[in-house]
Amino acid sequence: MTYASAVHDGTRTPGLYTYSPRVSSWTVRADKPVTYEIRFCTDVLGPEHTDLATAGGTVGGTRRRIVVIDENVELRYGDRVRKYFKHHDVDATITVIPVDETVKNCDTATQVIRDIDRFGIARRTEPIIAIGGGVLMDVVGMVSSLYRRGTPFIRVPTTLIGLVDAGVGVKTGVNFDGHKNRLGTYHPADLTLLDKSFLATLEHRHVSNGLAEILKMALIKDDRLFTLLEESGSRLLDGKFQDDSGEADEALTRAIHGMLDELQPNLWEAKLERAVDYGHTFSPTVEMRALPALLHGEAVCIDMAMTTLIAEDRDLVTTGERERIFTVMRKLRLPTWDPVLDPDLLTNALRETVRHRDGKQRLPLPRGIGDVVFVNDVTPQEIDLALARQRDLGTSRAEMTGGPDGNGHRTTTPLRSSSKR
Amino acid sequence: MTYASAVHDGTRTPGLYTYSPRVSSWTVRADKPVTYEIRFCTDVLGPEHTDLATAGGTVGGTRRRIVVIDENVELRYGDRVRKYFKHHDVDATITVIPVDETVKNCDTATQVIRDIDRFGIARRTEPIIAIGGGVLMDVVGMVSSLYRRGTPFIRVPTTLIGLVDAGVGVKTGVNFDGHKNRLGTYHPADLTLLDKSFLATLEHRHVSNGLAEILKMALIKDDRLFTLLEESGSRLLDGKFQDDSGEADEALTRAIHGMLDELQPNLWEAKLERAVDYGHTFSPTVEMRALPALLHGEAVCIDMAMTTLIAEDRDLVTTGERERIFTVMRKLRLPTWDPVLDPDLLTNALRETVRHRDGKQRLPLPRGIGDVVFVNDVTPQEIDLALARQRDLGTSRAEMTGGPDGNGHRTTTPLRSSSKR
């Protein structure tokens, strides 16, 4: 009973905790090790490829999986998903959930939990598989972190924003009472499989949506990526990252690599000055207010446009650089203005973000192109000034010429369910 | 742009992740450091004591707190809580939630989230304070782990089971669709303040409830603690841990120390053979089925009685040891039988626990007194046999002589809201 004697003489026990009899307290210390993999693959649903079928291992486990997909995936790939698992002799239960921000909430999470309960997964050897866009991955990620206090999960992003953003980090979440991602966890997918062939069926607006996060990475830390977007952004958008010129792969790889470079040393956000928060100061409030009119990346771009103007006013960015940035945003067919913007909304947004950043603005601003500084002293006057200029310089989605999805591509399909083109 | 060049030559980047260009994948590794403190204190709500008022620090923070308490605490200590924070010049918003297992669910969690939203806490410097029983701490703990993906929280357990069990570990949770703690997280309170003076107003049944978890610690690893319960269990129960003989402090300290000794090396349950799971194999299902008739510790005791009989049948425990164990359970006025017990229920319970333990029983059984073994081969026949003997040897709550709370203490107060005695 050595541990018990330690109670009374106050010695340090073998474990990493200390009992101090004078103040009658214990201090417990431990490190939680986390490892996760992000892997590019080709045609992940092709019967000849085993990445997904063997993900999470089957040693000691079973050949059964619950697979959560979103409505878009069901529409376009539902049959292939079912055939894939059948081909690989995996007993897969497919559950379909809705997809957009308006249903990224506790009710949708509860629906997934009920389906998992009904399926009855083992705790550690039957990973939940999520195939879909960023919203799906965020919701399923949160559920998998809560279910039995954490079950493994495997992600297959099917949108560009999923590939470069939601599918790279460890954050999960749902909206709550109109606040974006108010609830969530840090819970990495054990394995994320990146297959850009899914982008072929993505409508252009959603390609632009993902390009906004790629542009963010370029602005905060990668001038070469910015140049690539300047030179090839339109081509990438038109070609939906499907061409083999190498530009698509370079853009994806640079964006993901840059993201991991920022995330890994700060996976749990101990440090609240985060370069990757660029474009995410005003946008959470703007996005939720405009819902469902703006996609996440569109709101982020509007935020980046605003903060580029603040940076220009502070001489952090030259007028020439600001023009280059706005030009790229236009090329990527991203909005740089929205009618919901007004001084009150932005002041509220900043106040909310200050709470989220624990009492300080910690506001990332671009310094030139490819670098960032953090400031804590942006004033309402500065915001008003920038807003007035943004109203002149910016372009809203409605003002963009073109078809009903407002991205310059005439299409006869409805906004959220374009067919393959 | 050193990070960018690493993309192309495959070298290891400075961060703990590796990019491998041949298989086009990244592996991210990181350790999440966790530290938390558990501190004994005296009269935590006394105006002269500052532990609670200064908990979480105020450096750079504000003098405001949201304080979540349960209905029992409101009834007995609501005024003292308000006066305490007022005295220490802390602007405290008190929110009261219901307490028992039947409302340990997502709806109650949502109510707490709404109250926190309304209060508007800063992310890192305004810890949520939870004062109450185990259910309250589990729910508030889960909320604080989810709110903005994690806010600090401070716990003040007011029940014995809170002091020795729920208030010591890092597990949070709510029940879901009749499954105990189906959802939850690992999220330690930054600081837990243990003040046994709260137990003075606890009804005896709830003292017994906590003693069940103390008995568990004794059985799995501390024969000295078992002897202490044998000799002084009745006195501890009658005196509600308030006497100064040293027995109460020794029992509390040993139980907590033993718990931490088991938890610290396995804080996230990487290892599913957990000695502290003793009494928690059949009890989750029994407790939920009997709801609200059995308290958590009562269900745990019924499980320990059953598994002691299985251990006796396997010659792990002698008949004499089994008799001593049952005698202590009786002394602590804990039930060792319940009418809901039947072979089907227990078989279902074991199947459910096997899922939770990832495909194996990993069933802890006592070996003598103060030690434990794990087995994977308990059969339905063994359960039937033990159950038949438990029916004879055990005592249900209803069979216990005494007043309406069935613990031998005549009282005129209703079951869940006894007044101070």
Side-chain angles (χ1 to χ4, degrees):
Chain A
M1 305 302 293
T2 53
Y3 82 91
S5 67
V7 175
H8 300 292
D9 64 13
T11 54
R12 194 180 170 84
T13 56
L16 276 167
Y17 69 96
T18 326
Y19 173 66
S20 159
R22 268 171 314 150
V23 295
S24 289
S25 91
W26 290 263
T27 300
V28 182
R29 287 186 192 85
D31 287 316
K32 184 184 184 184
V34 164
T35 303
Y36 67 99
E37 186 188 352
I38 296 168
R39 190 192 303 163
F40 269 108
C41 52
T42 314
D43 193 21
V44 72
L45 297 179
E48 70 278 23
H49 292 117
T50 57
D51 298 77
L52 183 56
T54 60
T58 51
V59 183
T62 54
R63 300 286 291 172
R64 58 197 291 277
R65 292 288 184 269
I66 182 158
V67 182
V68 190
I69 66 179
D70 65 36
E71 287 168 343
N72 285 340
V73 172
E74 170 68 356
L75 189 68
R76 293 169 195 157
Y77 300 99
D79 286 348
R80 284 198 79 198
V81 168
R82 286 173 183 81
K83 278 181 191 151
Y84 177 82
F85 287 107
K86 192 161 185 206
H87 176 83
H88 288 286
D89 200 23
V90 175
D91 178 11
T93 296
I94 315 287
T95 177
V96 183
I97 64 168
V99 278
D100 64 51
E101 283 289 331
T102 60
V103 288
K104 187 182 176 183
N105 56 32
C106 289
D107 289 342
T108 303
T110 300
Q111 181 194 326
V112 176
I113 293 164
R114 289 236 159 80
D115 289 341
I116 293 171
D117 249 354
R118 207 169 297 131
F119 178 77
I121 52 170
R123 190 168 174 192
R124 299 271 165 85
T125 46
E126 293 177 347
I128 300 162
I129 294 177
I131 308 176
V135 169
L136 174 111
M137 288 189 295
D138 282 2
V139 173
V140 177
M142 190 176 94
V143 166
S144 84
S145 68
L146 289 177
Y147 195 79
R148 297 189 190 277
R149 298 195 183 92
T151 51
F153 89 113
I154 310 289
R155 287 184 295 206
V156 182
T158 57
T159 61
L160 183 57
I161 201 163
L163 249 76
V164 299
D165 192 69
V168 177
V170 302
K171 296 211 274 193
T172 76
V174 296
N175 306 327
F176 184 87
D177 280 356
H179 298 294
K180 187 158 171 76
N181 293 330
R182 180 53 51 90
L183 304 177
T185 54
Y186 300 94
H187 183 71
D190 298 76
L191 175 65
T192 304
L193 296 171
L194 306 180
D195 175 2
K196 73 186 172 89
S197 71
F198 285 111
L199 309 184
T201 59
L202 204 63
E203 64 183 85
H204 282 97
R205 185 184 172 191
H206 285 266
V207 180
S208 294
N209 186 42
L211 278 162
E213 294 282 1
I214 297 178
L215 174 60
K216 178 192 78 177
M217 293 313 302
L219 288 173
I220 62 170
K221 67 179 297 167
D222 192 344
D223 56 354
R224 160 73 196 136
L225 181 56
F226 184 83
T227 310
L228 199 152
L229 292 175
E230 256 183 334
E231 290 168 357
S232 317
S234 300
R235 240 190 340 265
L236 289 170
L237 173 54
D238 289 339
K240 299 178 180 178
F241 288 73
Q242 299 304 303
D243 72 62
D244 290 330
S245 66
E247 283 168 342
D249 288 344
E250 186 177 356
L252 288 176
T253 305
R254 280 188 171 273
I256 293 165
H257 200 86
M259 186 67 125
L260 290 176
D261 204 47
E262 292 295 314
L263 293 185
Q264 190 279 333
N266 193 27
L267 215 48
W268 295 277
E269 306 186 350
K271 201 174 134 199
L272 292 173
E273 277 89 10
R274 301 170 70 244
V276 292
D277 268 353
Y278 182 54
H280 293 69
T281 300
F282 302 102
S283 67
T285 301
V286 170
E287 182 183 350
M288 295 308 283
R289 177 71 66 93
L291 214 60
L294 291 177
L295 299 178
H296 177 71
E298 292 168 346
V300 167
C301 191
I302 288 165
D303 180 313
M304 294 194 293
M306 147 72 58
T307 44
T308 296
L309 291 167
I310 293 176
E312 186 190 357
D313 288 339
R314 290 186 170 217
D315 290 330
L316 290 164
V317 163
T318 65
T319 300
E321 285 163 342
R322 187 262 298 156
E323 284 171 350
R324 285 175 67 199
I325 294 170
F326 271 66
T327 302
V328 169
M329 289 170 172
R330 254 191 305 275
K331 273 192 185 172
L332 303 181
R333 288 174 217 132
L334 285 162
T336 45
W337 172 258
D338 192 272
V340 299
L341 295 181
D342 71 51
D344 280 355
L345 181 75
L346 294 184
T347 310
N348 284 339
L350 186 56
R351 188 183 310 124
E352 191 48 59
T353 293
V354 164
R355 278 210 184 109
H356 198 64
R357 295 183 189 150
D358 203 28
K360 286 190 176 176
Q361 292 181 354
R362 307 177 208 263
L363 199 158
L365 287 177
R367 177 160 58 188
I369 285 169
D371 196 10
V372 79
V373 289
F374 293 92
V375 302
N376 290 305
D377 59 353
V378 169
T379 63
Q381 290 71 33
E382 258 181 300
I383 292 174
D384 288 358
L385 213 64
L387 196 59
R389 294 183 60 220
Q390 188 175 11
R391 193 189 311 266
D392 290 342
L393 293 168
T395 310
S396 69
R397 285 203 70 244
E399 288 163 347
M400 288 171 164
T401 54
D405 66 352
N407 64 11
H409 284 254
R410 296 192 177 276
T411 160
T412 54
T413 53
L415 203 62
R416 288 182 176 280
S417 60
S418 72
S419 60
K420 301 183 193 184
R421 294 180 237 197
Chain B
M1 306 304 293
T2 51
Y3 82 92
S5 66
V7 175
H8 300 292
D9 64 13
T11 55
R12 194 180 170 87
T13 57
L16 275 167
Y17 69 96
T18 326
Y19 174 64
S20 159
R22 269 171 310 151
V23 296
S24 289
S25 90
W26 291 264
T27 300
V28 181
R29 288 186 191 84
D31 288 317
K32 183 184 184 182
V34 164
T35 303
Y36 67 98
E37 186 189 350
I38 294 168
R39 190 193 302 163
F40 270 109
C41 52
T42 314
D43 193 22
V44 72
L45 297 178
E48 70 278 24
H49 292 119
T50 57
D51 299 76
L52 184 56
T54 60
T58 52
V59 183
T62 55
R63 300 287 290 173
R64 58 196 293 276
R65 291 287 184 271
I66 182 157
V67 183
V68 189
I69 65 179
D70 64 37
E71 287 168 345
N72 285 340
V73 172
E74 171 68 357
L75 189 69
R76 293 168 194 158
Y77 300 99
D79 285 350
R80 284 198 79 198
V81 168
R82 285 173 184 81
K83 277 181 190 149
Y84 176 83
F85 287 107
K86 193 164 184 203
H87 176 84
H88 289 285
D89 201 24
V90 176
D91 179 10
T93 296
I94 315 287
T95 179
V96 183
I97 64 167
V99 276
D100 64 50
E101 283 289 333
T102 60
V103 288
K104 186 181 176 183
N105 55 31
C106 289
D107 289 342
T108 303
T110 301
Q111 182 194 326
V112 176
I113 294 164
R114 288 236 160 78
D115 288 341
I116 294 170
D117 248 355
R118 208 169 296 129
F119 177 78
I121 52 170
R123 189 170 172 191
R124 299 269 166 86
T125 47
E126 292 176 348
I128 300 162
I129 294 177
I131 308 176
V135 169
L136 174 112
M137 288 190 294
D138 282 1
V139 174
V140 177
M142 190 176 93
V143 166
S144 85
S145 68
L146 289 177
Y147 195 79
R148 296 188 189 280
R149 298 194 184 92
T151 51
F153 89 115
I154 310 289
R155 286 184 294 204
V156 183
T158 58
T159 60
L160 183 56
I161 201 164
L163 249 76
V164 298
D165 192 69
V168 177
V170 302
K171 297 211 273 193
T172 76
V174 295
N175 306 328
F176 184 86
D177 280 357
H179 298 294
K180 187 155 173 79
N181 294 329
R182 180 53 51 91
L183 304 176
T185 54
Y186 301 94
H187 182 71
D190 297 75
L191 176 65
T192 304
L193 296 171
L194 305 181
D195 175 1
K196 73 185 171 92
S197 71
F198 285 112
L199 308 185
T201 59
L202 203 63
E203 64 182 85
H204 282 97
R205 184 183 175 192
H206 284 267
V207 180
S208 294
N209 187 41
L211 277 162
E213 295 282 2
I214 296 178
L215 174 60
K216 178 192 78 177
M217 293 313 302
L219 289 173
I220 62 170
K221 67 180 297 165
D222 193 344
D223 54 357
R224 160 75 195 136
L225 181 56
F226 184 82
T227 310
L228 201 153
L229 292 176
E230 257 184 334
E231 290 167 357
S232 317
S234 300
R235 235 182 355 259
L236 289 171
L237 174 54
D238 288 339
K240 298 179 180 178
F241 289 74
Q242 299 305 302
D243 72 62
D244 290 331
S245 66
E247 282 168 344
D249 286 345
E250 187 179 355
L252 288 176
T253 305
R254 279 189 172 273
I256 293 165
H257 200 84
M259 186 66 126
L260 290 176
D261 203 47
E262 292 294 314
L263 294 184
Q264 190 278 334
N266 193 26
L267 215 47
W268 295 278
E269 305 185 353
K271 201 175 133 198
L272 292 173
E273 276 90 12
R274 300 170 72 244
V276 292
D277 269 352
Y278 181 55
H280 294 68
T281 299
F282 302 100
S283 67
T285 300
V286 171
E287 181 184 352
M288 295 309 282
R289 176 71 66 91
L291 216 60
L294 290 177
L295 298 179
H296 178 71
E298 293 168 346
V300 167
C301 191
I302 288 165
D303 181 315
M304 294 194 295
M306 148 73 59
T307 43
T308 295
L309 290 167
I310 293 176
E312 186 190 357
D313 288 338
R314 289 187 171 217
D315 290 329
L316 289 164
V317 163
T318 66
T319 300
E321 284 163 343
R322 188 259 300 156
E323 283 170 354
R324 286 174 67 198
I325 295 170
F326 271 65
T327 302
V328 169
M329 289 170 171
R330 254 190 305 276
K331 273 192 185 170
L332 303 182
R333 286 174 219 132
L334 286 162
T336 44
W337 171 258
D338 193 89
V340 299
L341 295 182
D342 71 51
D344 279 355
L345 182 75
L346 296 184
T347 310
N348 284 339
L350 186 57
R351 188 183 311 124
E352 191 48 59
T353 293
V354 163
R355 278 211 183 108
H356 198 63
R357 296 184 187 150
D358 204 27
K360 286 190 178 175
Q361 292 181 353
R362 306 175 209 265
L363 199 158
L365 287 178
R367 176 159 59 189
I369 285 169
D371 196 9
V372 78
V373 288
F374 293 92
V375 302
N376 289 305
D377 57 353
V378 169
T379 62
Q381 289 70 33
E382 259 181 298
I383 293 174
D384 289 357
L385 211 64
L387 196 59
R389 295 183 59 218
Q390 189 175 11
R391 194 188 310 264
D392 290 340
L393 293 168
T395 310
S396 69
R397 285 202 69 244
E399 288 161 347
M400 290 171 163
T401 54
D405 66 353
N407 61 13
H409 285 256
R410 297 195 175 274
T411 159
T412 54
T413 54
L415 202 63
R416 289 181 176 280
S417 60
S418 71
S419 61
K420 300 184 195 184
R421 299 180 232 199

